[in-house]
Amino acid sequence: MNPITDVDRDDARRLWDFNLMHHPARPVSAAVALGGCDLGVVSAVAELYRAGLFPTVVFTGGITPATRGRFPHGEAVHFRAEALALGMPDQAILLETRATNTGQNIDFAREVLEDTGQELRSVLLVSMPYMQRRAYATCRRQWPEVEPVCASEGVTFDEYAKAQDDEAEFIAMMMGDTHRVMEYPRLGFAIEQEVPGRVRESFERLCERGYDAWLLHD
């Protein structure tokens, strides 16, 4: 991997802005916190719960190759422990511990929530910031009966990048999410969304620069 340049960061910042859905926070029937490598998801959940936006959250995520080292007991299990440490009541938390991808996060969390018998009209999808658009598109395809609202930890691209142990890996992971936004609709995994030309140009430049480790491959 070449050293990260200012142009790389400008292109990555454009992808970051594209992947944020900019949904206003509002009360919903329940929340789904998608697994991943970032405990900032749990901080966002705790803050939104304290604001009274939902009564129940499902932490979803199993043991995956990407997070096994950090979360050896599975993403949802570690997220729940962090949520309790942040003061969330256990009765507000449900667990889904099988999912290993975003589609399963949505499907399996849906099963958990429907088993509670509560009426579900809207759901707050809490994820890493650069995963919002992918989560939204997946939910719209796989759970069309509910209205998805996206939320994440309130950080800027620069703040998030600075906090990462490996900034290049973070950019590569964001590239992977962007690629899935582009490609998953034709595979039936997500709804189609417009991808502006400037975003595609930034994506292609970053591919050429070697940020391609998390892209889909045939």
Side-chain angles (χ1 to χ4, degrees):
M1 175 65 68
N2 297 315
I4 301 173
T5 68
D6 289 342
V7 173
D8 293 343
R9 290 191 177 94
D10 286 344
D11 284 329
R13 193 175 290 108
R14 184 169 292 121
L15 264 57
W16 171 277
D17 291 342
F18 168 71
N19 281 296
L20 290 173
M21 296 300 295
H22 305 287
H23 288 163
R26 65 173 181 81
V28 293
S29 303
V32 174
L34 283 72
C37 58
D38 183 4
L39 286 174
V41 172
V42 187
S43 300
V45 167
E47 180 178 348
L48 294 164
Y49 176 79
R50 287 192 292 267
L53 297 190
F54 56 86
T56 307
V57 61
V58 179
F59 287 112
T60 169
I63 299 173
T64 71
T67 60
R68 183 189 304 271
R70 186 172 188 188
F71 303 133
H73 302 296
E75 296 162 354
V77 171
H78 287 271
F79 278 23
R80 172 184 175 273
E82 179 71 7
L84 293 174
L86 292 173
M88 283 193 67
D90 198 23
Q91 62 267 28
I93 298 171
L94 299 171
L95 284 189
E96 186 294 299
T97 61
R98 297 177 294 151
T100 58
N101 59 57
T102 303
Q104 291 179 353
N105 285 143
I106 300 298
D107 279 347
F108 297 164
R110 175 184 185 172
E111 292 175 6
V112 170
L113 285 168
E114 288 180 343
D115 283 347
T116 68
Q118 63 181 300
E119 184 179 10
L120 300 167
R121 295 184 177 180
S122 55
V123 63
L124 187 68
L125 302 175
V126 189
S127 68
M128 296 177 290
Y130 60 86
M131 193 179 179
Q132 283 191 18
R133 187 171 291 276
R134 177 183 171 192
Y136 174 82
T138 304
C139 187
R140 286 288 309 277
R141 172 65 69 190
Q142 298 183 201
W143 196 359
E145 297 85 0
V146 301
E147 181 181 356
V149 180
C150 294
S152 298
E153 185 181 19
V155 293
T156 66
F157 168 82
D158 295 309
E159 291 168 340
Y160 197 90
K162 186 176 181 180
Q164 303 308 302
D165 294 331
D166 187 335
E167 184 181 357
E169 178 73 356
F170 149 57
I171 294 174
M173 293 181 74
M174 183 165 58
M175 286 282 287
D177 274 83
T178 306
H179 198 207
R180 284 157 178 79
V181 168
M182 295 173 175
E183 296 297 325
Y184 273 0
R186 67 180 179 85
L187 300 175
F189 299 154
I191 64 164
E192 187 78 38
Q193 297 180 93
E194 181 182 358
V195 182
R198 293 186 67 194
V199 172
R200 291 187 181 274
E201 291 168 4
S202 290
F203 178 86
E204 294 299 332
R205 275 194 296 269
L206 289 167
C207 282
E208 293 170 2
R209 290 283 294 163
Y211 298 94
D212 57 359
W214 290 90
L215 300 188
L216 294 169
H217 298 286
D218 295 331

